[in-house]
Amino acid sequence: MDLNETAALLGVPVEAVERVHRLAGDRPSAPLPAKADAPAILDRLAVPSDDATEIMAGWPDDGSPLWTPELRWLLDRSIALVRADLGGYTWLPPGPELPRDRGLAWRHLYVYAYLALVEVVRGYHRDHGVPDAVSWATLADLGRNLAVDRRMRGEGWPVMQSWLTLHVRGAVYELGRLQHHRGDGAIGLHIPDAGPLTPEAVSASLDAGRLFFARHFPDESYTAFSCGSWLLDPQLREYLPEESNIIRFQRRFELEPYTEPEGLDADVEVLRFVFRTLSTPLDELPRRTALQRAIVDHLSAGRHWQWRQGRFPIDATDRPHLP
């Protein structure tokens, strides 16, 4: 195949196509589920009805005019690329960001790749004794992210397409309120948009994580829980009461010295998570909650948010650290 021609037809840099070609090689792909089974699977993955309708309409049937040879190649090799790293736990872009306004195949190509990998990762889960309920709760983050992307008018997907490769490689597990991420010596904590971050819900999730990894990944050694998030920014204490859920969550962690993260803008991440928009002017954002008012006031004053890293021992009690 001609990588330059493929890149031109896809409308992406040739370096991005070369990366897929290099990482996927001739490794095996995986088939999509049968189209007749897809609606039930999409339902289990909490995919909203608007997105499910589009996904079914754009299904890569044989002979579909929506699927050009270069799109079929990218779908097949993206599946192979991610599958080759089954069990891995680092961020892994599955392929180049596509011009998603060119049609349903372009818009949802990486969703189809995710669907093809659902049974692959569920086999990995079964090999590790992971309960079916945990598998489906974890994989249903697809629906949550599609809903966020629709709300953000497509602004959210470039980050999400890489994030979701963690789920289909067995790296992330949703255990109650928090998502737990396998890593080097520490279980990374992620905070999905799934209701209040109450101390009780957090403690229950931490307890579940301690048991889960000891039971299902006994060959891996974890000594700490870790988290990287703007939610750990101490500047939030200027605006939120000490007994707020966010500040109580912060107090569990010992913060690492601050360093500017490469390739990550905390201001953008705050706007993405709190308001689900990256393009609305500050003076038009809602101010209904203390957190919303804090974000807007801080940025309007010309200040910036920080992405902070913190951790605490995995065997620590749930008594928060003192300020």
Side-chain angles (χ1 to χ4, degrees), residues 58-182:
W59 198 262
D61 294 309
D62 290 341
S64 168
L66 300 175
W67 286 85
T68 59
E70 63 274 8
L71 283 176
R72 291 188 183 275
W73 174 85
L74 180 58
L75 174 61
D76 179 77
R77 291 299 83 199
S78 293
I79 296 168
L81 185 160
V82 178
R83 182 176 186 173
D85 196 47
L86 184 65
Y89 48 76
T90 59
W91 282 67
L92 180 68
E97 182 182 346
L98 296 175
R100 298 170 69 226
D101 58 353
R102 291 179 63 175
L104 295 179
W106 300 77
R107 177 175 176 82
H108 293 302
L109 185 141
Y110 295 114
V111 174
Y112 298 114
Y114 189 98
L115 294 176
L117 291 160
V118 164
E119 278 308 304
V120 173
V121 77
R122 290 190 69 232
Y124 179 85
H125 289 173
R126 286 191 293 270
D127 289 344
H128 288 271
V130 174
D132 223 32
V134 173
S135 292
W136 286 113
T138 299
L139 294 170
D141 204 27
L142 173 68
R144 180 188 291 136
N145 280 273
L146 286 172
V148 168
D149 181 62
R150 185 172 287 271
R151 181 178 168 187
M152 293 183 68
R153 298 181 177 87
E155 292 178 314
W157 190 252
V159 172
M160 296 171 189
Q161 70 183 39
S162 296
W163 159 246
L164 290 165
T165 67
L166 296 169
H167 304 60
V168 290
R169 286 182 291 139
V172 164
Y173 296 89
E174 188 154 330
L175 305 171
R177 182 62 185 85
L178 304 174
Q179 293 164 322
H180 296 242
H181 186 172
R182 293 171 45 237

Side-chain angles (χ1 to χ4, degrees), residues 11 15 48 88 206 219 234 255 261-263 306:
E15 294 81 6
L206 296 175
D219 295 334
L255 291 183
E262 185 177 349
Q306 297 178 353

